């Protein structure tokens, strides 16, 4: 059997590795238009903000690793077309050489692209996106310029908030804009988003919410400012971070697509063509909170989808467990994590939900105060069935492991009542006898 993988970042890598490490006799060919693979974008803000010394550790594999496993890999090779009837992939190398690769099974792992605001002035120098390693390098270089003092970030989602912190850590005056009234509204309810909003302003970031960018302003071909619905701001560097869209251009009229254009896949990550799988950010996922198909762009999902697709290609039927969109962020040491739906997201998805909130300390009062942080938790559950559909947590304490339990609860469709009497251990070094998870669940109406 011959498998061709198009796109060798997290999803393509995990599919290829699963096949190559299976011991089965499979010929694997990997094609990617980029010059590198396996870049962990999650680290961009860390090295741009100088919280880690270098970017080198953000790559976890390379082309030689795949060649050593017996795969054929061509980087700087862009797939231009796919003949799904005859099962042939057409690609072109950087030097213009044309390649043809036939396949028995094809894995599309072409990922996502940042959404580009269609604004006047979008050809000016000094405008940036943050997706590829190379784009991180450009932002890093732009911030290092002597005359780069003011940075405007459009979009206060995960990328925007993280890069705003990084630019502030580099001593820049940072202005952060979002169409919504708060930061991180794709992940949290207002009560939690406000914690991040305050954290950002407490750390010197100027937040501008409910404000839409209207034009990039410039002089002599270089950006000098940003015009929004509420005013004009000076800017030496502008970073766009208003979300991703799936990069799923192949198979128009042949492969079924989701509402946002992503490849529509089943629980095995197979597309509407039996020989073609699609994994990672270019494909859909199954949401256990919505009990429906969804689109969520995360590296964690990408890796799991690659494993599932490859296992099926190898002949073992395996269905993905579905996703909750579990996520986390840590900005100036303030940690927010969430899984499943916020109340707002649940209602947008047509669910009738209730929620139970609690604010407590992590440890008993007799523990030293400098080790004992406040924790805020919200559990969101469906009114009628009482199944848990979401959870949000915020603290200075690293409570992140707690959210995985809520992720499992959503996956397994557990009710909030099941959680109330769950055996949760107690040790003063870690938590309280009446810990906040138990108490929040007991208090659920
Ligand atoms: C700054 C930043 C921070 C992030 N932080 C996190 C985080 O903390 N946690 C998390 O879970 N997720 C995070 N993400 C999201 C995560 O990076 C993506 O979900 C993940 O990269 C998706 O992996 P993928 O392999 O599906 O797609 P991609 O990473 O988009 O890779 C797709 C690959 O396909 C190649 N390709 C595309 N078209 C072609 C073609 N025609 N021919 C050949 N090759 C092609 C591309 O060159 C690319 O290498 C972050 C993203 C960014 C940008
Ligand atoms: N910690 C993590 O897990 C991280 C995950 N990622 C993932 O990468 C993907 C892309 O991240 P982001 O680009 O930050 O997307 P995002 O969805 O997190 O945030 C986009 C933000 O842009 C705002 N927005 C949209 N259109 C706008 C407009 N015209 N003007 C102003 N604001 C506008 C939205 O309200 C939203 O707050 C997401 O799927 C995200 O989850 C990215 C970074 C870190």
């Amino acid at each position: 059997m011959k498998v061709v993988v198009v796109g060798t970042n997290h999803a393509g890598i995990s599919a290829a590795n699963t096949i190559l490490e299976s011991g089965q006799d499979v010929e694997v060919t990997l094609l990617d238009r980029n010059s590198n693979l396996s870049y962990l974008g999650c680290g961009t803000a860390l090295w741009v903000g100088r919280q880690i010394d270098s970017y080198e550790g953000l790559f976890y594999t390379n082309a030689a690793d795949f060649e050593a496993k017996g795969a054929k890999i061509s980087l700087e090779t862009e797939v231009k077309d796919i003949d799904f009837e005859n099962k042939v992939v057409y690609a072109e190398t950087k030097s213009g050489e044309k390649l043809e690769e036939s396949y028995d099974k094809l894995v599309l792992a072409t990922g996502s692209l940042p959404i580009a605001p269609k604004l006047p002035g979008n050809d000016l120098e000094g405008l940036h996106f943050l997706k590829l390693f190379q784009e991180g390098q450009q932002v890093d270089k732009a911030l290092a310029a002597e005359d780069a003092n003011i940075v405007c970030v459009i979009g206060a989602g995960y990328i925007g908030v993280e890069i705003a912190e990084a630019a502030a850590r580099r001593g820049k005056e940072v202005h952060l804009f979002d169409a919504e009234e708060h930061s991180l509204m794709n992940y949290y309810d207002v009560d939690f988003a406000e914690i991040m909003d305050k954290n950002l302003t407490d750390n010197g970031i100027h937040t501008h919410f409910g404000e839409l960018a209207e034009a990039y302003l410039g002089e002599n071909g270089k950006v000098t400012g940003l015009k929004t619905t509420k005013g004009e701001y000076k800017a030496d560097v502008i970073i766009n971070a208003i979300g991703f869209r799936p990069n799923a251009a192949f198979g128009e009229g042949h492969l079924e697509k989701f509402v946002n254009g992503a490849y529509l896949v089943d629980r095995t990550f197979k597309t509407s063509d039996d020989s073609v799988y699609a994994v990672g950010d270019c494909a859909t996922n199954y949401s256990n909170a919505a009990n429906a198909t969804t689109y969520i762009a995360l590296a964690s999902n990408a890796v799991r989808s690659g494993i599932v697709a490859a296992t099926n290609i190898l002949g073992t039927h395996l269905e993905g467990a579905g996703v909750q969109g579990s996520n986390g962020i840590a900005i100036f040491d303030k940690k927010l994590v969430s899984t499943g739906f916020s109340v707002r997201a649940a209602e947008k998805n047509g669910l009738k939900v209730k929620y139970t909130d609690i604010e407590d300390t992590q440890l008993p009062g007799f523990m030293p105060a400098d080790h004992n942080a406040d924790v805020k938790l919200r559990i969101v559950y469906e009114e009628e069935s009482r199944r848990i559909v979401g959870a949000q947590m915020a603290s200075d304490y690293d409570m992140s492991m707690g959210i995985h339990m809520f992720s499992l609860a959503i996956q397994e469709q557990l009710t909030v009542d099941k959680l109330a009497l769950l055996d949760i251990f107690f040790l003063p070094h870690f938590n309280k006898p009446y810990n906040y998870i138990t108490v929040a669940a007991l208090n659920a109406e």
Side-chain angles (χ1 to χ4, degrees), residues 50-73:
R50 300 292 182 263
Q51 288 182 272
I52 57 174
D53 294 337
S54 92
Y55 51 71
E56 273 140 37
L58 299 175
F59 296 92
Y60 57 86
T61 188
N62 54 45
D65 286 346
F66 282 100
E67 281 158 357
K69 288 176 192 173
K72 189 170 133 193
I73 178 163

Side-chain angles (χ1 to χ4, degrees), residues 88-354:
V88 184
V89 171
Y90 296 94
E92 191 175 325
T93 65
K94 200 180 169 195
S95 57
E97 190 193 343
K98 303 234 187 308
L99 300 181
E100 277 185 36
E101 291 288 348
S102 61
Y103 64 85
D104 298 302
K105 297 285 180 198
L106 177 67
V107 179
L108 295 172
T110 45
S112 52
L113 299 168
I115 298 169
K118 290 189 185 66
L119 300 178
N122 59 8
D123 54 348
L124 290 165
E125 188 192 323
L127 299 177
H128 297 270
F129 291 91
L130 262 188
K131 166 79 184 170
L132 304 176
F133 166 61
Q134 293 90 334
E135 291 167 331
Q137 281 185 307
Q138 284 162 15
V139 168
D140 188 49
K141 196 171 156 207
L143 296 185
E146 256 180 32
D147 55 353
N149 299 313
I150 307 174
V151 177
C152 285
V153 180
I154 307 176
Y158 269 170
I159 292 181
V161 168
E162 287 179 351
I163 203 66
E165 178 196 23
R169 284 180 184 270
R170 294 279 288 270
K172 309 297 170 190
E173 178 183 322
V174 182
H175 294 261
L176 178 62
F177 299 83
D178 202 287
E180 297 279 0
E181 295 295 335
H182 302 275
S183 63
L184 305 181
M185 287 299 281
N186 285 346
Y187 311 90
Y188 300 93
D189 286 317
V190 169
D191 318 57
F192 286 76
E194 278 175 345
I195 296 171
M196 184 56 76
D197 297 349
K198 181 173 181 313
N199 183 40
L200 291 165
T201 49
D202 284 352
N203 284 285
I205 292 170
H206 305 269
T207 57
H208 306 267
F209 298 137
E211 199 161 340
L212 269 174
E214 284 189 332
Y216 306 112
L217 307 174
E219 275 167 27
N220 304 323
K222 201 174 172 315
V223 77
T224 55
L226 180 69
K227 182 173 184 298
T228 75
T229 41
K230 291 193 184 162
E232 282 189 19
Y233 304 85
K234 284 189 179 163
D236 303 309
V237 176
I238 295 184
I239 302 167
N240 296 289
I242 63 164
F244 286 177
R245 61 184 172 84
N247 179 24
F250 297 117
E252 218 47 62
H254 176 70
L255 298 177
E256 274 183 50
K257 306 272 174 87
F258 191 53
V259 284
N260 71 341
Y263 296 119
L264 186 68
V265 293
D266 64 14
R267 298 290 291 263
T268 68
F269 292 91
K270 194 171 72 179
T271 66
S272 50
D273 178 331
D274 276 349
S275 304
V276 183
Y277 288 75
V279 292
D281 283 8
C282 67
T284 55
N285 253 299
Y286 186 81
S287 158
N288 293 312
N291 282 322
T293 298
T294 191
Y295 178 78
I296 299 176
L298 283 172
S300 45
N301 295 343
V303 170
R304 283 190 299 268
S305 63
I307 295 170
V308 173
T311 304
N312 285 285
I313 288 170
L314 290 167
T316 302
H317 181 78
L318 175 68
E319 298 198 349
V323 299
Q324 284 69 250
S326 301
N327 63 82
I329 189 162
I331 300 294
F332 298 114
D333 253 356
K334 181 72 73 189
K335 297 152 190 80
L336 267 74
V337 295
S338 80
T339 185
F341 285 147
S342 61
V343 172
R344 188 176 103 125
E347 286 169 352
K348 270 192 182 170
N349 278 270
L351 300 188
K352 251 186 132 184
V353 294
K354 286 185 166 179

